[in-house]
Amino acid sequence: MWIAGRGQSRESGEHRTLNIRRILAGTALLAALTATVTASAQPRGGRGGGGSPFGNFELLIEPVAEGIYLIRSSASGSITVFESDDSVLLVDSKFEREHDRYMELLRTVTDKPVKYLVNTHIHGDHTGGNIRLEALGPDIIATENARRHLAATQELGLPSITFDDHMRLYFGDHVMDLYWFGRGHTDGDLVMHLPDAGLVLSGDLFAGGDPFVRLIDYNGGGSLMEWSDTLENVLALEFDRVIPGHSEVTDRARMQAYLDQIVQMQDLIREMHSAGRAPEDIQAAITSEFGRMAFVVLPGIQNVIAELE
């Protein structure tokens, strides 16, 4: 794989200290959120389904295109698999407890070694398997912000290659542009664009779900008010299909609808805040209008209000 960088793409540097309890709290809340989603699923025929906005409960692997596969369930973030002539690149690593099962599924489609792992962001349902995968020898790639957060909570399974705004990878027949477009779900969300395939991997900047699911993790540097600008940058790319951080493969129209909902939230919050409404009233109005899981804020809505002041 050839790596070309722009901005300050570089090998990772020294660890930086952050508030460990805050980062762990973010991971715990996301885990609780996905557990709630999982609990709402009613299994059918052993394959899951039912009420979960993230789809099937059982961990499954499915083809996306030639040499591209998606490993997903409603229990945690998805893994996207890219296969070249001699190796495999994975996007995200799910929870550590899922490692054995997703490796078992991976080996049903390829026996090639895992040489590269890309982390879309910091949360444990996307990075929890890093340590066990690192033992297999892959380079781990993430934004510099994501590595900084991870380095505050662990010494193993850290990204060894980071970038600030853009990095281009050549993996097999794929050209992969990795971008950091700004704050949203966290301050280290990575977007992968495959221009020749018309495909975007959004991480939890667009988690998917029906209805939509959204966590604004201020402890992880997230921002509801900046999220819309970040997604506008993503939608400026040329693509037709999207692999969300959770859920099935979808299209750019669905991502546009996700952005439109964020803008509607922002407008309603501004209107109610200008009218002097209490934060708890604003929280109730947003969740009533858009759904409880469409507006999960860590550590609370006051952080959204603070962005307006």
Side-chain angles (χ1 to χ4, degrees):
M1 179 187 67
W2 176 258
I3 305 175
R6 190 180 68 197
Q8 295 181 357
S9 175
R10 57 186 176 273
E11 295 293 321
S12 58
E14 72 280 0
H15 295 183
R16 302 175 192 175
T17 302
L18 293 177
N19 188 317
I20 294 177
R21 287 176 297 177
R22 294 192 325 171
I23 305 306
L24 290 176
T27 301
L29 181 71
L30 190 66
L33 176 62
T34 54
T36 299
V37 172
T38 300
S40 70
Q42 298 298 318
R44 294 182 301 202
R47 294 175 62 84
S52 170
F54 288 149
N56 293 325
F57 174 79
E58 183 182 353
L59 197 58
L60 304 171
I61 188 167
E62 55 197 32
V64 175
E66 184 176 356
I68 306 176
Y69 304 90
L70 184 62
I71 301 175
R72 67 182 182 92
S73 76
S74 63
S76 60
S78 300
I79 293 177
T80 306
V81 179
F82 293 93
E83 183 182 13
S84 72
D85 289 341
D86 61 359
S87 62
V88 168
L89 180 149
L90 301 181
V91 179
D92 287 335
S93 63
K94 297 182 76 68
F95 285 123
E96 186 278 334
R97 64 176 178 265
E98 299 177 279
H99 174 87
D100 290 341
R101 177 56 178 155
Y102 67 67
M103 290 301 295
E104 178 184 8
L105 290 172
L106 176 64
R107 294 313 177 205
T108 67
V109 296
T110 180
D111 60 359
K112 295 168 186 172
V114 179
K115 290 192 175 180
Y116 311 104
L117 170 62
V118 176
N119 287 152
T120 60
H121 64 286
I122 60 173
H123 289 142
D125 64 326
H126 296 261
T127 63
N130 277 21
I131 293 175
R132 293 191 64 184
L133 280 172
E134 183 181 48
L136 301 178
D139 289 320
I140 304 177
I141 303 168
T143 66
E144 179 65 16
N145 281 348
R147 190 199 188 278
R148 175 171 52 87
H149 284 300
L150 289 171
T153 64
Q154 62 193 63
E155 295 182 358
L156 300 176
L158 294 174
S160 56
I161 301 172
T162 68
F163 67 96
D164 286 330
D165 57 2
H166 174 253
M167 173 184 291
R168 172 165 285 184
L169 313 179
Y170 295 90
F171 181 75
D173 294 331
H174 298 296
V175 177
M176 300 175 170
D177 285 312
L178 309 183
Y179 293 100
W180 181 80
F181 281 132
R183 297 168 66 201
H185 178 57
T186 70
D187 65 2
D189 300 299
L190 174 156
V191 173
M192 176 183 283
H193 180 218
L194 281 71
D196 294 340
L199 179 67
V200 155
L201 282 69
S202 64
D204 282 358
L205 278 172
F206 171 45
D210 186 11
F212 291 135
V213 175
R214 183 180 298 104
L215 168 66
I216 310 106
D217 182 3
Y218 284 88
N219 287 343
S223 167
L224 177 67
M225 294 304 170
E226 294 183 27
W227 199 328
S228 53
D229 290 340
T230 300
L231 278 184
E232 285 178 1
N233 287 328
V234 179
L235 283 159
L237 302 172
E238 294 291 331
F239 64 94
D240 300 311
R241 294 190 298 166
V242 182
I243 299 179
H246 300 251
S247 191
E248 69 279 353
V249 180
T250 185
D251 56 26
R252 70 178 294 125
R254 190 72 175 151
M255 180 184 283
Q256 181 65 57
Y258 195 81
L259 168 59
D260 293 344
Q261 187 180 89
I262 290 174
V263 173
Q264 292 165 12
M265 285 182 177
Q266 293 170 342
D267 290 344
L268 181 54
I269 291 168
R270 288 190 185 99
E271 179 182 350
M272 295 187 70
H273 180 60
S274 296
R277 299 294 296 273
E280 57 267 24
D281 294 335
I282 298 174
Q283 174 82 54
I286 293 293
T287 54
S288 174
E289 179 72 17
F290 301 104
R292 181 174 58 86
M293 287 190 293
F295 187 66
V296 179
V297 185
L298 178 71
I301 192 174
Q302 190 58 52
N303 294 83
V304 180
I305 303 301
E307 290 196 81
L308 301 176
E309 297 174 343

